[in-house]
Amino acid sequence: MALSVIVLAAGQGTRMNSTKPKVLQQLAGKPLLHHVLLTAQQLVPEQILVVCGYRGEELQKACQEFKVDWVWQTEQRGTGHAVQVAYPDIVANNRVLVLYGDVPLISTATLKNFINSTPADALGILTAQVAKPQGLGRIIRDSNNKVIHIIEHKDASPEQQQITEINTGIYLIPQRHLAAWLANLKPQNSQQEYYLTDIIALAVNDKVAISDCSIADEIEITGVNSQQQLAMLERQYQLTLAQQLLEHGVKVYDPNRLDIRGVVNAGKDCSIDVNVVFEGTVVLGDNVQIGANVFLKDCVVESDAVILPFSMLDNVVVGIGAQVGPFARLRPGTRLHAQTKVGNFVEIKNSNIGVGTKVNHLSYIGDAQLGSSVNIGAGVITCNYDGAHKHQTIIEDEVFIGSNCELIAPVRVGKGATLAAGTTLLKDAPPGGLTLTKKMLTSILDWRRPTKAKASQTGEK
Ligand code: UD1
Ligand code: CA
């Protein structure tokens, strides 16, 4: 039997106290809804229907990369009502897996196991034992331990509130039973909503088997209803990601002070100091060292490279054995070849830095091609922008550029050339020789530095 997935995502999420729709709040750098859709895709279903309502256009825009069909629930009258509006679009005789847009970390493995363990004609329900069941629907069983009902926290008696087995909100429903059950939902509860949970009792009434499957890992079924819950889930999730790196052999100085908002692939013997943030896809070779407070987004850092503290790298390739920072800012399109050195307060963008080249202090290098074994002195600036266009600077192998030079692009410095300190390079420098701006240096010998007059001399008190 083919699978249809319905993701419920129409609610506003009032308890978040935010103007953003709840399912667009970010967990580990991705909207909650993206986590759920990525997992749903892994199941290769025949269709994915997403129920949207509150700021639905924003949801659709934020999920353009996903192949899903959108269903509008203009008025949010409960989880049962959300499935009612999706019902006409469900392929006949499929199995219908219901997921919630605000339960982001449910895993593909858990769902596959749930689907495989649920008989084709049964109503499957995913449950969990939790320490703090407050606010969640409770599982009611009969004397034979069969699930017969779900009662929401708000509707539960004090005895029922003691139950620690909860409804994760994830069900597998045979489509052919669904129409009748949905038609029988009644908003007779404290919230006056159409609860999807009521289909359990309806299935029992129709003598359809209920197949319950329990999940142990609480992180997978944690729903996000408040900023507190989101922050706690973020920390728990980050800890599991840090643990994966530790298991892989990476030295993580403090697993509680690392943030991975994307994917990190690390080789052998890498180390990551505290407060490092990774975004997008980051690949580390072997024996890479990342210092404290480093931010890396979409980078490749090759083996034996060292990134010293407080450096920020975005879309950068760092070559073998290179050293970056502290306090370096490397912007998109920067390629550092092997054994390069980029030091403090250096900004580089869209540039190639050749093998063994050093840019050690206080420089701006933009739209430049630097050869190998070049030395860039302190305070060197490539003036790449004329107010309208960007221009290239080419610096050939073994060039030495003295401190505080300005290179007015487009300009080329020939192989082995030397620029004296303070040169403003307005045209190409030939290879080999010394290029300098001739300035007159004068000393005025009878000059006196101004001094402050003493109070006693001016009569001031
Ligand atoms: C729901 C379950 C509860 C379960 C819990 C697990 C019901 C009645 N209760 O409660 O048993 O323990 O999830 O997390 O189902 N939504 C819509 N349209 C609506 C209402 C909700 O699309 O009209 C969406 C929300 O955007 C959200 C999801 O459904 O993504 C769950 O809704 P929410 O109001 O958070 O339900 P809970 O109170 O958490
Ligand atoms: Ca919820």
Side-chain angles (χ1 to χ4, degrees):
M1 247 193 277
L3 184 71
S4 295
V5 176
I6 302 184
V7 181
L8 306 192
Q12 177 181 353
T14 331
R15 286 168 281 176
M16 296 303 289
N17 235 332
S18 160
T19 53
K20 241 194 217 173
K22 174 163 71 174
V23 295
L24 292 188
Q25 300 279 344
Q26 304 233 329
L27 178 80
K30 277 201 294 269
L32 298 177
L33 187 54
H34 283 200
H35 287 271
V36 180
L37 294 179
L38 285 166
T39 304
Q41 279 179 339
Q42 298 285 313
L43 301 170
V44 206
E46 187 174 346
Q47 60 179 172
I48 300 177
L49 300 172
V50 186
V51 181
C52 68
Y54 180 75
R55 296 200 181 202
E57 304 82 5
E58 269 174 67
L59 255 58
Q60 296 187 8
K61 205 164 159 242
C63 298
Q64 274 167 343
E65 71 247 52
F66 293 95
K67 255 192 75 191
V68 299
D69 293 317
W70 295 89
V71 179
W72 279 91
Q73 185 197 20
T74 38
E75 226 189 315
Q76 286 84 57
R77 298 166 70 191
T79 47
H81 180 246
V83 177
Q84 277 172 359
V85 299
Y87 181 79
D89 292 327
I90 302 172
V91 176
N93 295 315
N94 271 6
R95 299 174 97 185
V96 183
L97 178 70
V98 178
L99 302 176
Y100 285 177
D102 67 348
V103 181
L105 294 181
I106 188 72
S107 73
T108 310
T110 296
L111 291 175
K112 279 188 176 161
N113 178 49
F114 175 50
I115 294 166
N116 292 336
S117 67
T118 305
D121 201 40
L123 168 57
I125 159 166
L126 196 61
T127 69
Q129 285 288 348
V130 298
K132 289 186 191 149
Q134 271 68 23
L136 296 165
R138 307 298 210 284
I139 304 294
I140 311 292
R141 292 176 180 269
D142 68 8
S143 52
N144 297 320
N145 210 31
K146 288 247 176 263
V147 177
I148 50 166
H149 187 39
I150 295 173
I151 185 110
E152 289 304 297
H153 182 90
K154 284 184 180 154
D155 304 308
S157 66
E159 296 77 50
Q160 287 169 328
Q161 288 187 1
Q162 300 301 311
I163 297 170
T164 51
E165 189 184 19
I166 60 97
N167 170 32
T168 65
I170 293 167
Y171 322 90
L172 191 60
I173 314 167
Q175 184 272 346
R176 59 192 193 85
H177 292 301
L178 199 51
W181 294 341
L182 291 174
N184 274 311
L185 297 180
K186 296 190 178 65
Q188 285 159 2
N189 48 61
S190 61
Q191 304 191 87
Q192 299 187 336
E193 285 186 354
Y194 293 89
Y195 285 173
L196 187 59
T197 45
D198 288 346
I199 65 169
I200 307 297
L202 292 167
V204 171
N205 208 42
D206 285 353
K207 306 212 163 18
V208 171
I210 311 273
S211 170
D212 60 293
C213 182
S214 179
I215 162 170
D217 193 356
E218 246 186 73
I219 193 173
E220 284 196 36
I221 50 104
T222 303
V224 173
N225 298 307
S226 66
Q227 296 286 359
Q228 281 91 330
Q229 285 172 347
L230 180 58
M232 273 166 62
L233 192 61
E234 177 83 42
R235 289 334 310 159
Q236 280 175 22
Y237 184 48
Q238 290 300 339
L239 193 57
T240 63
L241 295 178
Q243 277 157 355
Q244 284 168 15
L245 284 179
L246 288 168
E247 271 162 39
H248 186 74
V250 175
K251 176 177 171 57
V252 176
Y253 281 66
D254 183 352
N256 286 307
R257 285 186 288 168
L258 173 66
D259 280 81
I260 299 175
R261 300 173 192 152
V263 182
V264 176
N265 282 310
K268 289 279 154 231
D269 298 308
C270 290
S271 72
I272 302 171
D273 209 330
V274 299
N275 296 331
V276 170
V277 178
F278 293 106
E279 256 186 46
T281 304
V282 175
V283 180
L284 308 179
D286 294 334
N287 195 35
V288 168
Q289 292 173 46
I290 313 281
N293 301 295
V294 165
F295 177 95
L296 292 179
K297 179 182 178 195
D298 292 314
C299 287
V300 175
V301 184
E302 291 173 359
S303 296
D304 302 316
V306 179
I307 315 289
L308 293 167
F310 295 97
S311 296
M312 179 172 186
L313 285 73
D314 177 358
N315 271 281
V316 172
V317 179
V318 178
I320 292 175
Q323 185 182 309
V324 174
F327 296 99
R329 172 151 190 235
L330 304 185
R331 292 167 51 200
T334 299
R335 170 81 170 95
L336 305 183
H337 290 266
Q339 312 301 337
T340 48
K341 272 189 159 185
V342 171
N344 36 222
F345 308 110
V346 170
E347 175 179 349
I348 304 181
K349 75 120 198 184
N350 191 30
S351 295
N352 253 299
I353 311 297
V355 175
T357 287
K358 295 175 188 162
V359 190
N360 270 337
H361 327 272
L362 301 145
S363 287
Y364 171 64
I365 305 291
D367 304 307
Q369 304 294 325
L370 274 59
S372 60
S373 303
V374 168
N375 188 81
I376 304 283
V380 170
I381 307 286
T382 54
C383 306
N384 58 326
Y385 186 49
D386 59 13
H389 303 101
K390 302 282 169 69
H391 303 281
Q392 286 274 319
T393 298
I394 303 199
I395 300 173
E396 295 181 354
D397 297 347
E398 288 149 43
V399 161
F400 182 98
I401 304 215
S403 293
N404 219 32
C405 287
E406 296 139 357
L407 294 93
I408 315 293
V411 75
R412 174 187 291 266
V413 183
K415 185 174 177 189
T418 300
L419 297 196
T423 299
T424 300
L425 193 68
L426 293 157
K427 58 183 178 55
D428 292 356
L434 172 70
T435 298
L436 71 162
T437 312
K438 273 198 178 164
K439 294 171 190 162
M440 289 287 285
L441 180 71
T442 321
S443 300
I444 303 167
L445 294 175
D446 60 356
W447 180 81
R448 289 288 170 269
R449 225 180 289 150
T451 51
K452 274 189 182 168
K454 291 213 173 76
S456 59
Q457 288 170 340
T458 58
E460 278 176 36
K461 295 219 165 112

